[in-house]
Every structure is written in structure tokens, then in C-alpha cells.
Amino acid sequence: MLNRLASIEGQGAFAMPRPSRPRNRARLALPAAVSAAALTVGMWSTVSPVPALGSTPEQATTAAAGVTSSAQAQAPILLPNMRTVQPSELHIEMIGGMRWLRFTSQLANTGKGPVEVRPNDAANCGKGKRHATQILYRDVNRSGRFERQHDTRTARRSVGCMIFHPRHHHWHFEAAARYALWNPRAAQAVASRPKTSFCLRDIMRVPSTWHVTKRYPTYYGACDRDTPQGISIGWSDRYSSFLPGQAVPLPRRLRDGVYCLRVTVDPKNELHETDDADNRAVRSFTLNGQSVSAGPRRPCRLPEQK
């Protein structure tokens, strides 16, 4: 079992009773968000320098001065690739006489660039929300890999909205994940969570079986009101089963048997990445009253998600 101390708080799209569990550790604050004026909503924006974490103003100025040519400005974009680790720690919790399937989900990045989003006021998303901009880094020195000290030019695009979490006092990317429970015998959904908001950050490295050889350092820490948030290459954001939103309500008359839990990262395909086909992961389990156990290995050939 993964260490729960590595997990952080998240908030789903609807309210539910919250189990009593220990608080999570604080994380490193990051630079302030980009000015909304720099964004052209719904379109790729003009590239701009992004100083490295911890750089001095002099270092930032030097970095910007070294990448001012149009050829460098149009360097290839290093795209992220969002993936989902198979859900784990499945168990049943009884709340108000109703069964809830709790589980741990883990959103990962195995692309050539980080996934990064920033809250801003470039568009009106409604009360309690802010516009979200995805920051895409350019391969300034044409090395074919992301190097934060060199790849300081960016492209930017609108990727929906962020919702304010009143207890955490920061913004969550609104449509970060979707959870669905399926009956493989009838190939139909029996329960779902339309969308779940996440504060994207580096929590733990991706599974070793994914063979991500380049070991990038962690960069994205605590989500403040205006700081960038994201997932570095080879890292994942892990939301443990005891956190709010990490549950799907089971229908009261749902029979015992084998079911399939599916987790989808970026279900609305708002984030620009290399491959949208690997954004889902499925786990089978056997339901027996108020308990669950591991299910058969390959029962979960489910219809395409709509």
C-alpha cells in the first residue's frame, strides 16, 4: 500500500460527509501566476520567458535575453502526456445507510514537457471560479527534452475553468478527472461522478513499470490562490481514498458481483497533450455486501466513454 502521508487534499464536484483523517503536509510555494493580459482567450498566445524556480531577477533577465530571436520563439513545443494509474485501495464506507465505494486515484505525466495550468481573470467563468490557462514550454535549445533552465519560452491556451476550494483557499482545475462504475455483464454504467476537481501537484513518481527513464526533480508544490500548478515529467498527483471526493455512491439495490471502476484524467480533453487514448485506467473488483475484493483480471472491456 502506498504511504498515505504522501497524499494531499482534493475536493470533488459535490459535497459529502468527510471522514476524520490526519491533515496532509505543506508543500513549497511557487512563483505568482502569469498576468491575464498576456493571454489571448481561445487561441495560442505570444510566447514569453518563464524564469526558473528560485532564479534571481538578473538570472531571469539573462534567460529572456538569450531567447529573443523569432527562430527560438517558435521552437517546438514539449507536450505533456496525461495518464491514469490503475485505481487502488478500494473499500466500502457506510454513510447514512448508503454504501460508498472509496478508492485512491493517481494522475500522471509521462510526456516530454510538464503539464501546467495557471488561474487568471482572462475570461469570466462565473461566481467562485477563475479562468485556466495551460502553459506549454518550447524546446529552445532543440535538445529534444525539457530543461527548465533553458526552455524559458512558452505557448499558452485557454483550458476551461478553475473552481475555488473554500477550505483550502486555492483553485482546483475543474475537470481534472471523471469516475465511473460499470457492470461488465451488461456493459452499462451503474454509478458515476461527472467530473472531479484537483489541485495539480507533484506527489510521487510514476510506476517503475512505465519505464520513464529521465528522473526530473519535483517542481509543483502547494497550490496557492495565484500560483501555477501542474505535474512534472515522470511524476503523479495522488489522491488517497480517505479524501473528500474519492468515492462513488453505490445504488441501494446494486447486487453483489464483479464490477469495473474506471478513472479518466482530463475527461473533457481540455489539456493539450500527445495522446488522449491513454487517459483511462480500469480496475475490476468483486462486491460482496459491505466489502470488496480483487476481481478477475480481464472482465472490463467497456464501451468508449462519451
Side-chain angles (χ1 to χ4, degrees):
M1 180 183 295
L2 296 172
N3 188 347
R4 285 189 174 182
L5 292 179
S7 56
I8 45 81
E9 291 193 67
Q11 177 62 42
F14 67 97
M16 57 173 286
R18 178 177 182 174
S20 177
R21 290 296 189 273
R23 293 182 179 270
N24 297 287
R25 60 192 176 95
R27 305 299 301 274
L28 177 66
L30 298 179
V34 66
S35 169
L39 175 73
T40 303
V41 179
M43 300 176 62
W44 295 99
S45 73
T46 304
V47 295
S48 61
V50 177
L53 179 65
S55 63
T56 64
E58 292 78 14
Q59 289 171 328
T61 302
T62 302
V67 290
T68 53
S69 73
S70 60
Q72 287 173 316
Q74 296 305 314
I77 291 175
L78 295 162
L79 288 175
N81 185 41
M82 296 296 290
R83 294 178 61 182
T84 307
V85 179
Q86 191 180 58
S88 61
E89 299 182 335
L90 278 65
H91 62 276
I92 298 295
E93 181 179 13
M94 296 299 298
I95 302 177
M98 188 173 182
R99 294 177 298 178
W100 290 76
L101 176 67
R102 288 200 155 274
F103 54 93
T104 291
S105 58
Q106 196 169 330
L107 311 183
N109 176 23
T110 60
K112 290 186 176 296
V115 58
E116 181 177 313
V117 293
R118 301 186 184 186
N120 54 59
D121 299 320
N124 184 8
C125 284
K127 186 177 180 180
K129 297 183 180 182
R130 294 186 76 186
H131 177 264
T133 297
Q134 182 181 5
I135 307 299
L136 294 148
Y137 289 84
R138 293 187 178 274
D139 188 9
V140 173
N141 62 357
R142 306 302 206 278
S143 67
R145 62 183 183 181
F146 178 65
E147 298 171 290
R148 191 171 293 277
Q149 68 272 28
H150 298 301
D151 301 326
T152 57
R153 307 295 290 186
T154 65
R156 308 178 185 192
R157 65 193 301 269
S158 174
V159 288
C161 299
M162 305 182 81
I163 187 169
F164 185 68
H165 192 299
R167 289 199 298 267
H168 300 174
H169 303 287
H170 61 230
W171 300 90
H172 284 195
F173 185 55
E174 189 172 25
R178 175 185 288 137
Y179 305 144
L181 186 65
W182 288 77
N183 179 347
R185 300 174 297 280
Q188 65 181 12
V190 296
S192 66
R193 291 282 309 281
K195 60 186 177 182
T196 301
S197 67
F198 276 58
C199 163
L200 302 176
R201 63 179 83 180
D202 297 332
I203 296 295
M204 62 189 306
R205 294 193 182 276
V206 301
S208 59
T209 53
W210 286 11
H211 303 296
V212 178
T213 56
K214 176 66 176 177
R215 296 181 65 83
Y216 286 86
T218 179
Y219 181 83
Y220 299 99
C223 296
D224 203 347
R225 184 178 178 89
D226 295 306
T227 56
Q229 55 181 264
I231 304 175
S232 300
I233 305 163
W235 286 83
S236 65
D237 185 3
R238 182 178 186 265
Y239 276 53
S240 290
S241 59
F242 60 83
L243 293 172
Q246 288 303 121
V248 171
L250 301 184
R252 294 187 180 276
R253 297 184 180 182
L254 186 67
R255 297 179 179 179
D256 291 347
V258 175
Y259 293 92
C260 300
L261 174 65
R262 179 171 64 190
V263 176
T264 304
V265 62
D266 187 29
K268 296 173 68 175
N269 291 331
E270 291 179 321
L271 296 172
H272 192 42
E273 58 173 305
T274 57
D275 187 3
D276 291 324
D278 60 0
N279 287 17
R280 298 188 294 272
V282 181
R283 173 78 177 267
S284 70
F285 66 94
T286 300
L287 176 66
N288 184 12
Q290 296 184 22
S291 66
V292 296
S293 58
R297 284 193 174 187
R298 299 181 181 275
C300 298
R301 294 185 178 181
L302 305 177
E304 286 298 312
Q305 178 174 310
K306 297 181 180 180

